[in-house]
Amino acid sequence: MSEDRLALLRSRIRDIADFPKEGILFKDITPLLADVNAFRATIDLMVEALDGESVGAVIGIESRGFMFGAALADKLGVGFVPVRKPGKLPAATHRAEYDLEYGSDAVEIHQDALRPGDRAVIVDDLIATGGTAKAAGELVKRCGAEVAAFVFVINLVALEGAKKLEPHRVISILDY
Ligand code: AMP
């Protein structure tokens, strides 16, 4: 059964060459979102992989992490918290910076978004180098909360991003 669902998911992920710049093979998840069976199966597989893990909140990373994270939060019966690019959140924030190939970027969270001791699951569509997810993990800790697990639809395994997130649990539904 799982194999059928995974095959469905794979069939709904589209490769776009040289987007957003030359040399990048972009994994486009919009066909998956547009197919209710594939979208539901993705969230169900995330819930099954979490296997009863105690979760107090789901964090979604801007912007594709919002879609999967919000659906997962609903299914788990917990609240959703956005981690956003700088300057987007209106109240007081914590900020974490991370390195890009050239330069750096940052993500922010509202300082009061999590309760101390909350166990949070951090969700994004894809892990490449792991820099974005690692920064989101730092924000969770800055709020006094804990990372229960990182959950991704896609892991680009060759980039070894999951190593950056050790010793936390990293769940990916599809490995490429
Ligand atoms: P990283 O911080 O290197 O793990 O990059 C992860 C973030 O960049 C995620 O929010 C992804 O949505 C996006 N991303 C990186 N590489 C790709 C790719 N090949 N296809 C689609 N999204 C990507």
Side-chain angles (χ1 to χ4, degrees), residues 24-27 62 64 124-132 156:
I24 305 278
L25 185 63
F26 191 86
K27 295 283 182 196
E62 185 169 358
R64 289 180 294 273
D124 204 355
D125 66 328
L126 180 145
I127 177 167
T129 66
T132 316
L156 301 184

Side-chain angles (χ1 to χ4, degrees), residues 72-84:
L72 179 64
D74 175 58
K75 198 90 179 184
L76 293 175
V78 300
F80 174 80
V81 173
V83 157
R84 300 206 61 177

